[in-house]
Amino acid sequence: MKTIDELLSEGVAGKRVFVRADLNVPLDGTTITDDGRIRAVLPTVKALADAGARVIVASHLGRPKGAPDPAFSLAPAAARLGELLGADVAFAEDTVGASAESTVAGLADGQVAVIENLRFNAGETSKDDTERAAFADRLAGLADVYVGDGFGAVHRKHASVFDLPKRLPHYAGYLIATEVGVLKKLTDDVRRPYVVALGGAKVSDKLAVIDQLLGKADRLLIGGGMAYTFLKAQGHEVGISLLQEDQIPTVKEYMERAEKNGVELVLPVDVLVASEFPDLKTKAPAHPATVAADAIPADQEGLDIGPETRKLYASKLADAATVFWNGPMGVFEHPDYAEGTKAVAQALLDAPGFTVVGGGDSAAAVRTLGFDENAFGHISTGGGASLEYLEGKTLPGLAALED
């Protein structure tokens, strides 16, 4: 795929450049609680603006129902982008209507605008090719060139991700180029030992990537809510812990394959349990107990890996030449259940090799728990996109840029 450096070498002064970013930031009302995704697109936006382009930044935010919804407005993200750029950023109050047209028409060379949430238009996410194409046609009317830099959305066959690049000269931004380069290090030429730590709530979300990794990784460390389906598959009581019983046969098969393939599959040896889920708003003390992973009481819920598991996982990461981590080890949003996730993050920092934090909740945890982001080899901006790439799927947004 062509990159932004090639575009810049061709000259962009006076050109309207549409940058499909990922500004899907978490909001508390209108307050951004983590601006990592905005900061991730800054190099691309700044390089284009500095070269005299008229930059139109577009993104989705949340899951509005194909119509305007103030709760999902990109206005806070536009304001934050302006602060980070140190320049005024214009904001269009629609996607392809009068406000977008006038805002773009009013841009001078080197100026930046953000248009409103793309998902306020039903054509963005439509499964109907004709409806998506019609929206893409209108978006194309705003610009001369397309730059894809919203890695967190490249696994979606959406109008601004898949259809729009076909209508304009298209290039990959710095973020997408970096993300793809990192993922190739996890798939094409892996340095070993290759250790993968997977957590998060549902094992079903990770089965496809586990299927692929059983032929590639040297060790798989399993934590988070998904671990209890593995423990149940081993015949252990898991109490009222998160459990996907319908996935137990698949999990059993994967455990057998891991043993056959010589992949070390490591499960928790102890867990923190409580009789109810913690209050994440008040962060009231939860007073968890530590029990062996094969001795969870029937009326208790596992909510984090225990101290012995933390030590075990750290030891399994200690010699890793390549590490991929996706998914927290517990309910890290509550201080009583954050230690497992914190221990894995610290083990990545201590590991001698190339470390990748696979986006989503893992990236949020790194920031929430106060780690230096720059100390990791790479923190992905797209958890779902990263996983689908590792699963071997064709990602529509990347395929469109490669045409």
Side-chain angles (χ1 to χ4, degrees):
M1 64 180 72
K2 291 183 179 180
T3 68
I4 186 175
D5 283 334
E6 294 173 80
L7 171 60
L8 292 170
S9 70
E10 295 165 7
V12 293
K15 291 184 178 179
R16 300 171 301 163
V17 181
F18 188 103
V19 177
R20 201 331 180 162
D22 179 8
L23 308 181
N24 186 28
V25 292
L27 293 172
D28 182 3
T30 59
T31 302
I32 297 170
T33 57
D34 182 354
D35 67 358
R37 284 176 171 162
I38 301 175
R39 286 185 284 111
V41 79
L42 275 179
T44 291
V45 174
K46 192 171 188 313
L48 290 167
D50 288 349
R54 302 178 183 190
V55 186
I56 306 143
V57 180
S59 176
H60 69 286
L61 193 153
R63 297 179 182 272
K65 307 296 184 182
D69 183 339
F72 297 106
S73 175
L74 276 176
R80 182 59 180 151
L81 178 61
E83 291 172 358
L84 293 168
L85 287 171
D88 290 337
V89 168
F91 181 66
E93 296 178 350
D94 56 26
T95 55
V96 290
S99 181
E101 290 175 359
S102 63
T103 299
V104 171
L107 288 176
D109 294 1
Q111 290 187 329
V112 179
V114 173
I115 63 174
E116 186 55 285
N117 192 336
L118 292 164
R119 291 185 181 175
F120 284 2
N121 189 303
E124 169 69 0
T125 60
S126 177
K127 290 183 170 32
D128 184 286
D129 291 348
T130 303
E131 186 178 10
R132 256 195 354 266
F135 183 48
D137 285 340
R138 295 189 69 188
L139 289 172
L142 296 174
D144 305 305
V145 181
Y146 178 92
V147 172
D149 215 30
F151 180 74
V154 293
H155 58 315
R156 306 294 188 192
K157 192 177 181 181
H158 291 169
S160 66
V161 175
F162 178 73
D163 302 272
L164 182 56
K166 299 178 179 180
R167 288 156 170 77
L168 296 169
H170 45 270
Y171 303 80
Y174 289 125
L175 175 61
I176 279 186
T178 298
E179 294 273 13
V180 171
V182 166
L183 288 169
K184 284 182 177 178
K185 291 183 180 180
L186 300 178
T187 54
D188 296 344
D189 188 20
V190 181
R191 292 188 300 142
R192 299 184 179 280
Y194 179 20
V195 186
V196 177
L198 295 175
K202 294 182 178 180
V203 68
S204 57
D205 293 341
K206 305 285 167 56
L207 286 177
V209 75
I210 292 172
D211 182 48
Q212 288 292 315
L213 290 169
L214 287 175
K216 295 177 180 176
D218 297 300
R219 297 178 202 132
L220 280 174
L221 316 181
I222 305 295
M226 62 183 286
Y228 302 101
T229 301
F230 279 86
L231 292 171
K232 186 72 172 181
Q234 287 185 324
H236 301 314
E237 170 67 57
V238 297
I240 57 173
S241 306
L242 190 61
L243 175 66
Q244 290 186 280
E245 292 212 42
D246 60 323
Q247 302 299 336
I248 288 176
T250 303
V251 166
K252 284 183 176 179
E253 179 199 336
Y254 284 3
M255 289 192 290
E256 291 169 2
R257 274 178 54 201
E259 186 173 3
K260 180 180 177 181
N261 293 352
V263 177
E264 189 179 1
L265 198 154
V266 189
L267 297 176
V269 294
D270 62 345
V271 297
L272 299 188
V273 298
S275 58
E276 60 184 10
F277 199 81
D279 188 325
L280 299 183
K281 286 191 175 181
T282 66
K283 308 288 175 72
H287 306 296
T290 302
V291 300
D294 60 358
I296 299 173
D299 64 345
Q300 300 283 298
E301 178 178 11
L303 295 163
D304 194 14
I305 58 174
E308 292 305 313
T309 305
R310 292 173 219 150
K311 294 177 189 174
L312 173 64
Y313 286 10
S315 71
K316 298 297 182 182
L317 289 161
D319 66 343
T322 305
V323 182
F324 176 73
W325 169 37
N326 180 279
M329 296 291 109
V331 187
F332 74 92
E333 300 92 340
H334 192 286
D336 288 346
Y337 301 106
E339 293 303 315
T341 301
K342 192 181 295 185
V344 168
Q346 185 61 53
L348 259 71
L349 293 183
D350 295 339
F354 181 60
T355 57
V356 179
V357 179
D361 287 340
S362 310
V366 163
R367 299 184 184 106
T368 300
L369 298 174
F371 287 93
D372 178 4
E373 297 176 55
N374 297 320
F376 297 89
H378 180 70
I379 297 181
S380 179
T381 56
S386 295
L387 287 176
E388 290 197 16
Y389 189 100
L390 293 181
E391 288 167 20
K393 290 184 178 180
T394 297
L395 305 188
L398 296 185
L401 291 176
E402 288 167 353
D403 286 347

